[in-house]
């Protein structure tokens, strides 16, 4: 039985042996490589500061993720439209401080990706990729850093600045839709 089939069987049977691993990736053009963190609940995966290698896409290469404590409230929506999410990361404020210093002078957003991995205990090496319920394309819109924590607001990109009628992000351009410009 494959790991995927075993996980489906576990969920269908109501068995609670499956473990969900939550990761957070913070990336910016100023970084050589993204900051990748894995949520370490009660030290289940190792000691804080150790790394865990996980693939960031199905069948892809494995990348080191730093074990640490963090909380994520994903972005959502209500009757007024999209709502922001929140991130709180403990004991890695020095890493994020360097990110923020490097982001000064750039006209690009800090990108955030949240991935989930469902694994069976003791079979972490068999993980082939994240689940389909990951959050990609998020942007960090605000961040506060103290000596021991970093807190940020995450949101979907502001759609009012995308697909505008003119400029480099235009959804109707002169070359493809000349009738609109006569």
């Amino acid at each position: 039985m494959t790991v995927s089939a075993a996980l489906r069987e576990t969920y269908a049977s109501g068995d609670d042996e499956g473990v969900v691993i939550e990761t957070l990736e913070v990336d910016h053009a100023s970084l050589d490589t993204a900051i990748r963190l894995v949520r370490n609940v009660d030290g289940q995966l190792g000691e804080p500061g150790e790394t865990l290698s996980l693939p960031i896409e199905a069948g892809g290469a494995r990348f080191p993720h730093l074990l640490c404590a963090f909380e994520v409230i994903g972005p959502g929506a209500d009757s007024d439209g999209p709502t922001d999410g929140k991130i709180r990361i403990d004991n890695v404020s020095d890493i994020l401080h360097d990110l923020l210093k490097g982001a000064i002078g750039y006209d690009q957003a800090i990108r955030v990706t949240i991935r989930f991995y469902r694994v069976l205990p003791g079979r972490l090496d068999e993980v082939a990729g994240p689940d389909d319920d990951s959050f990609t394309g998020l942007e960090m819109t605000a961040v506060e850093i103290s000596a021991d924590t970093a807190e940020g607001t995450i949101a979907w990109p502001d759609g009012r600045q995308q697909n505008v009628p003119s400029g480099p992000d235009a959804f109707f351009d002169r070359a493809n839709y000349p009738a609109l410009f006569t």
Side-chain angles (χ1 to χ4, degrees):
M1 179 182 296
T2 66
V3 173
S4 296
L7 284 171
R8 281 194 296 276
E9 182 180 324
T10 298
Y11 288 126
S13 68
D15 192 351
D16 59 357
E17 287 185 27
V19 177
V20 176
I21 297 175
E22 187 175 355
T23 66
L24 178 67
E25 179 179 291
V26 181
D27 198 9
H28 188 262
S30 67
L31 295 174
D32 293 332
T33 183
I35 298 168
R36 294 185 181 94
L37 309 172
V38 63
R39 184 173 179 185
N40 193 21
V41 180
D42 299 327
Q44 292 176 346
L45 302 173
E47 294 298 317
E50 293 179 356
T51 60
L52 179 67
S53 292
L54 293 167
I56 59 173
E57 59 186 34
R62 291 176 172 264
F63 293 93
H65 291 66
L66 181 66
L67 294 172
C68 70
F70 66 82
E71 299 173 39
V72 174
I73 299 172
D78 61 16
S79 60
D80 293 329
T83 59
D84 293 343
K86 298 280 184 195
I87 299 174
R88 180 187 166 133
I89 307 169
D90 292 335
N91 299 322
V92 290
S93 59
D94 57 333
I95 295 172
L96 293 177
H97 185 266
D98 291 341
L99 166 66
L100 293 178
K101 283 190 340 189
I104 294 172
Y106 278 83
D107 189 21
Q108 294 181 0
I110 297 172
R111 295 174 306 280
V112 175
T113 302
I114 304 164
R115 294 185 184 91
F116 303 95
Y117 301 80
R118 287 183 179 79
V119 298
L120 293 173
R123 299 180 79 174
L124 191 58
D125 292 338
E126 297 178 28
V127 173
D131 293 342
D132 294 335
D133 55 354
S134 300
F135 291 98
T136 59
L138 298 170
E139 294 179 353
M140 189 173 293
T141 59
V143 67
E144 294 179 21
I145 295 182
S146 67
D148 57 349
T149 62
E151 294 185 27
T153 302
I154 55 174
W156 301 110
D158 187 351
R160 294 173 294 187
Q161 302 303 319
Q162 299 175 352
N163 295 328
V164 292
S166 63
D169 295 322
F171 54 85
F172 293 122
D173 60 23
R174 199 173 288 274
N176 293 318
Y177 300 93
L180 295 175
F181 295 91
T182 57

